[in-house]
Amino acid sequence: VASMATEGNAFLRARGRTLTAFRQDDEYKWKGPFYFIQGADPQFGLMKSWATGDTKNGDDEWEEETKLTEQAVQAINKLNPKPKFFVLCGDLVHGMPGTQWRKAQEQDLKKVLKNTDQDIPLVFVSGNHDIGNAPTRETIDDYCKNWGDDYFSFWVGGVFFLVLNSQLYFDSSKCPELKQAQDAWLNEQLAVAEKQKCKHIIVFQHIPLFLRDADEDHDYFNLEKSVRQEIMEKFHKAGIKAVFSGHYHRNAGGSYRGLEMVVSSAIGCQLGEDTHGLRVVVVTDEKIVHRYYSLTELSSRGIEKELLDMLAK
């Protein structure tokens, strides 16, 4: 029974559309600068299937991803001061819902993540491999049983965080009512944020709104243009400062009317020139500053002085 309880503590903290790791009443107020760690796409199984050119069924090995995620956890555990939380922006595993290796991949990922320092809450974001390219109520329910809610909000030190299910923006054809529910919820949350006079609003989602330019064409790695435009306008009006995402397996990003779109490369399989890594995000009174570190760099050297100085202010 104990192991189930500890698993629940670490992996099912997103409940009732909020994160139980933080006591809301304590977190409404700004208490000075802090930082968190963003990772994306550990995607257990992709490296082998990418190497063999069989992305549908070639994901029967994930030893490399296991080692990389272990390295990520060790690097995070060594950091001083500790980050407020560690958010994983989707594609936790490669196996799509209902595929052969998925359960084993999820179990092995949990085994590694369990070693994260207990004072550093894990925050999970659903990706397309976690709930399917065109999710259904069943695939989303299954994800929620394993990893917690697919969308929720939480406060940390006067900053309001929103975790969104970007698959509902990508293709909600099989569950339109769930997209409507998230939309209604999001509008309520933004109204709350406005009333509370929060310091910043930050969004986490798997699929980027765009990769480099708010006007770029739609493809697999970003959101469809009309959908994107609507979300960007909503975010801009709400005063959202930054959206952090993964999905692209490369670092990218751009901005739209004061909204920064940050696309982080993967812990796992790299599809470009970047290295396996994590992003350190420092939140100060004035701004949100971030830097992508390779796992080796973060592990051996930790956070650079310039960012640590911002935390000390």
Side-chain angles (χ1 to χ4, degrees), residues 284-304:
T284 75
D285 193 358
E286 303 284 304
K287 55 191 182 205
I288 295 155
V289 184
H290 52 88
R291 176 162 173 222
Y292 186 84
Y293 288 83
S294 76
L295 295 178
T296 317
E297 192 183 4
L298 193 61
S299 197
S300 59
R301 291 213 293 276
I303 302 172
E304 76 218 80

Side-chain angles (χ1 to χ4, degrees), residues 82-101:
K82 287 182 211 262
K84 284 284 185 190
F85 59 86
F86 171 27
V87 58
L88 268 172
C89 282
D91 281 1
L92 306 172
V93 298
H94 183 67
M96 286 276 187
T99 56
Q100 188 178 2
W101 305 106

